[in-house]
Amino acid sequence: MKTAIQEFMKKIELRNGHETEFLQAVYEVAESIVPFAEHNPKYKIHKILERIAEPERVLIFRVPWLNDQGEVEINRGYRVQMNSAIGPYKGGLRFHPSVNLSVLKFLAFEQVFKNSLTGLPMGGGKGGSDFDPKGKSDAEVMKFCQSFMTELYRHVGADIDVPAGDIGVGAREIGFLFGQYKRIKGEFTGVLTGKGPEWGGSLIRPEATGYGVVYFVAEMLKLRNDSLKDKRVIVSGAGNVAQYTIEKCIEMGALVVTVSDSEGYVYDPEGIDAVKLAFIMDLKNQKRGRIKTYAKHFNCTFIEGQKPWSVKCDIAFPNATQNELDEADARLLVENGCFCVAEGANMPSTPGAIHVFEQAKILYAPGKAANAGGVAVSGLEMSQNSLRYSWDREKVNIKLKQIIEQIHQVCVKYGKEESGYINYGRGANIAGFVKVADAMIAQGIV
Ligand code: NDP
Ligand code: 2IT
């Protein structure tokens, strides 16, 4: 089987040789799907995985804008429209200096499987720019967003491609992008998700990714007659996903002892409570400050330039960015007694780290299953926009929970091994693949 996977990867490498993140994401999926397709030859005959690994369309464009000094700045904008077999392209926009085609293709590829897992009719896409919002004024961010949308508007639409937020793109950026789209097109439609609740946004969308990843862990623990109560938790990141992961963990009775950003991590042995979380939210979302301020304010330790993986815990949530947790980190986690890793971020664990988790047979929830709550509620936002109606918080939260429970169930269905061990990674890949693959076969060679 190894050779079949290598044969497949050779073809992918030939076309995408230098795109390391993209190749990493495809390999991780190929490890599950190539053997699965051997037993289900129709997928092999129709070359479904090869087709899924080739974007339907990639758009790259210039984004010029004027900074506050009146100087010209130029960034690069992207939208990867990966797969539309089961619905319009759907996926976030990332604004971060590390953004390049490889990063966005890996994210768009993952999104295809994730969106399929939600059970909602959404294809996969991702976009963004190498623009760095850090240190920019609101006026600069607005000018950038307007310039970005002045090109993007021709390629997106409520039934075509529906972007949302990701790293560096939150409520502020979605507002500026939506305003410019509406101004150019002259129509008020659900072209973006993550909108403000007063102008078409769904309640619970800001919370959805973080809440969803904790609901997923609760489901995994339920199978063992266990819960999050009194569990010691570590979290990386301090952004949207991290904040609402912490909120839900606190609500479920866990003790969260770390939070981080790209400068280092805070270790708070007493645990983050509601007051401290409100401080983080104000610091990160309003003041746009650095997480080390937390350590100063609450008199605890800040460990500069490091990630939190050496801190003893039961459950770890890598919630910042890709490849932030490597093989050595994974060994350390397992040695220190961590028995569950749930990915709020996309592809935060390296292949070596995943191997360690699987060998140790600990609970490992891959991002495409565990963090699907965000895009799921985006899908519910699209439904509400089409209905021209808004559901209350409770209704959306119940639907989010149901979707996560159903994702957990299909991961168990396809991922349970003879020994009883549940390989959630394989389960998520196969369950996400089947729906898209069958739709592609039904729609012919397009
Ligand atoms: P935010 O921009 O709100 O927060 C990102 C956090 O991660 C910040 O604390 C940031 O630190 C840190 N971070 C970003 N890049 C790096 C890096 N290269 N090294 C170290 N730390 C870094 O983004 P989100 O919380 O929305 O996204 C976090 C992760 O979750 C991403 O992988 C994203 O793709 C994924 N995700 C997001 C969803 C959503 O709905 N928003 C849905 C599903 C997945 P700093 O401020 O110092 O840059
Ligand atoms: O990675 C992701 O799933 C997201 N950034 C959310 C995508 C969305 O369309 O809500």
Side-chain angles (χ1 to χ4, degrees):
M1 194 45 66
K2 266 232 135 63
T3 48
I5 298 168
Q6 276 155 3
E7 289 293 308
F8 170 80
M9 284 310 296
K10 245 192 232 153
K11 286 184 255 175
I12 304 297
E13 279 162 22
L14 215 56
R15 278 212 189 99
N16 311 281
H18 56 288
E19 294 177 348
T20 51
E21 292 86 359
F22 178 61
L23 291 174
Q24 181 184 334
V26 175
Y27 186 75
E28 194 272 331
V29 167
E31 275 187 306
S32 320
I33 300 301
V34 171
F36 179 72
E38 290 292 331
H39 294 107
N40 298 272
K42 64 177 174 177
Y43 299 129
K44 222 173 131 183
I45 294 161
H46 289 276
K47 297 205 173 156
I48 296 298
L49 190 57
E50 262 178 76
R51 278 156 68 188
I52 293 182
E54 187 64 22
E56 289 180 15
R57 191 174 299 102
V58 174
L59 306 151
I60 300 184
F61 49 95
R62 181 172 69 202
V63 188
W65 55 283
L66 283 178
N67 68 21
D68 286 347
Q69 286 71 50
E71 296 157 353
V72 181
E73 302 249 8
I74 295 113
N75 286 101
R76 184 172 287 178
Y78 302 84
R79 187 73 184 163
V80 178
Q81 297 182 329
M82 201 75 188
N83 194 294
S84 61
I86 62 168
Y89 309 106
K90 179 82 196 89
L93 296 172
R94 178 177 291 190
F95 293 168
H96 193 273
S98 64
V99 162
N100 58 37
L101 191 55
S102 170
V103 168
L104 293 179
K105 278 175 66 181
F106 115 64
L107 288 163
F109 181 79
E110 291 284 289
Q111 200 80 45
V112 173
F113 296 85
K114 184 194 306 190
N115 293 4
S116 164
L117 282 169
T118 66
L120 300 172
M122 299 183 289
K126 200 88 186 189
S129 174
D130 56 4
F131 174 75
D132 185 359
K134 272 201 202 96
K136 303 287 192 301
S137 68
D138 285 354
E140 288 177 321
V141 170
M142 183 179 75
K143 281 185 276 185
F144 172 80
C145 287
Q146 290 179 340
S147 182
F148 184 85
M149 185 51 88
T150 300
E151 174 58 34
L152 189 68
Y153 89 94
R154 357 171 162 264
H155 312 291
V156 297
D159 295 314
I160 301 167
D161 183 353
V162 183
D166 193 78
I167 292 177
V169 178
R172 173 182 61 170
E173 290 74 19
I174 294 294
F176 294 148
L177 291 163
F178 184 77
Q180 184 70 354
Y181 181 87
K182 183 163 61 68
R183 185 186 194 192
I184 295 172
K185 292 282 284 190
E187 59 183 35
F188 195 115
T189 64
V191 64
L192 290 157
T193 59
K195 300 184 291 297
E198 307 83 3
W199 41 281
S202 177
L203 295 172
I204 305 283
R205 175 63 189 86
E207 295 89 341
T209 312
Y211 280 14
V213 71
V214 182
Y215 292 152
F216 197 93
V217 168
E219 286 302 298
M220 294 200 293
L221 295 180
K222 208 155 78 183
L223 275 191
R224 302 177 160 200
N225 295 316
D226 203 352
S227 77
L228 275 120
K229 184 143 179 41
D230 298 329
K231 296 293 181 297
R232 205 176 137 88
V233 166
I234 61 174
V235 171
S236 70
N240 172 270
V241 179
Q243 292 168 17
Y244 290 102
T245 297
I246 296 171
E247 183 167 290
K248 192 49 82 178
C249 280
I250 297 172
E251 196 188 306
M252 292 196 171
L255 184 78
V256 184
V257 294
T258 69
V259 61
S260 76
D261 65 16
S262 55
E263 291 180 357
Y265 76 91
V266 169
Y267 174 49
D268 185 348
E270 286 169 16
I272 300 172
D273 59 17
V275 172
K276 292 171 177 176
L277 178 59
F279 178 89
I280 296 173
M281 288 184 172
D282 179 60
L283 175 70
K284 283 290 169 186
N285 310 344
Q286 259 65 53
K287 301 198 171 75
R288 299 186 191 273
R290 310 305 305 159
I291 202 65
K292 62 181 168 212
T293 313
Y294 175 106
K296 240 191 203 155
H297 194 83
F298 294 110
N299 199 22
C300 54
T301 327
F302 180 70
I303 297 90
E304 199 168 335
Q306 298 212 16
K307 298 178 176 123
W309 315 127
S310 61
V311 175
K312 197 173 155 46
C313 69
D314 299 309
I315 304 169
F317 290 96
N319 282 5
T321 193
Q322 65 271 8
N323 293 328
E324 57 168 316
L325 197 168
D326 66 17
E327 189 174 334
D329 299 324
R331 282 191 206 291
L332 206 55
L333 281 169
V334 172
E335 274 166 28
N336 285 337
C338 170
F339 66 87
C340 175
V341 176
E343 298 182 337
N346 286 305
M347 205 169 79
S349 309
T350 65
I354 296 172
H355 189 69
V356 170
F357 300 146
E358 287 175 356
Q359 290 285 102
K361 302 238 182 292
I362 68 164
L363 298 173
Y364 163 66
K368 60 172 79 73
N371 71 38
V375 74
V377 174
S378 277
L380 300 178
E381 182 168 324
M382 291 166 72
S383 306
Q384 292 168 79
N385 291 165
S386 297
L387 289 168
R388 300 194 185 284
Y389 193 73
S390 305
W391 298 327
D392 61 31
R393 284 179 70 86
E394 202 190 332
K395 174 155 179 155
V396 180
N397 193 32
I398 288 171
K399 284 188 181 291
L400 166 63
K401 242 192 219 160
Q402 286 169 340
I403 290 170
I404 297 289
E405 284 166 16
Q406 165 261 321
I407 294 175
H408 179 264
Q409 263 172 26
V410 292
C411 287
V412 172
K413 176 178 165 191
Y414 287 105
K416 197 161 188 169
E417 295 178 352
E418 270 172 24
S419 65
Y421 175 67
I422 300 162
N423 186 322
Y424 285 94
R426 184 182 313 132
N429 287 338
I430 297 176
F433 173 81
V434 167
K435 189 171 148 194
V436 176
D438 290 344
M440 287 174 74
I441 293 173
Q443 291 169 27
I445 315 290
V446 294

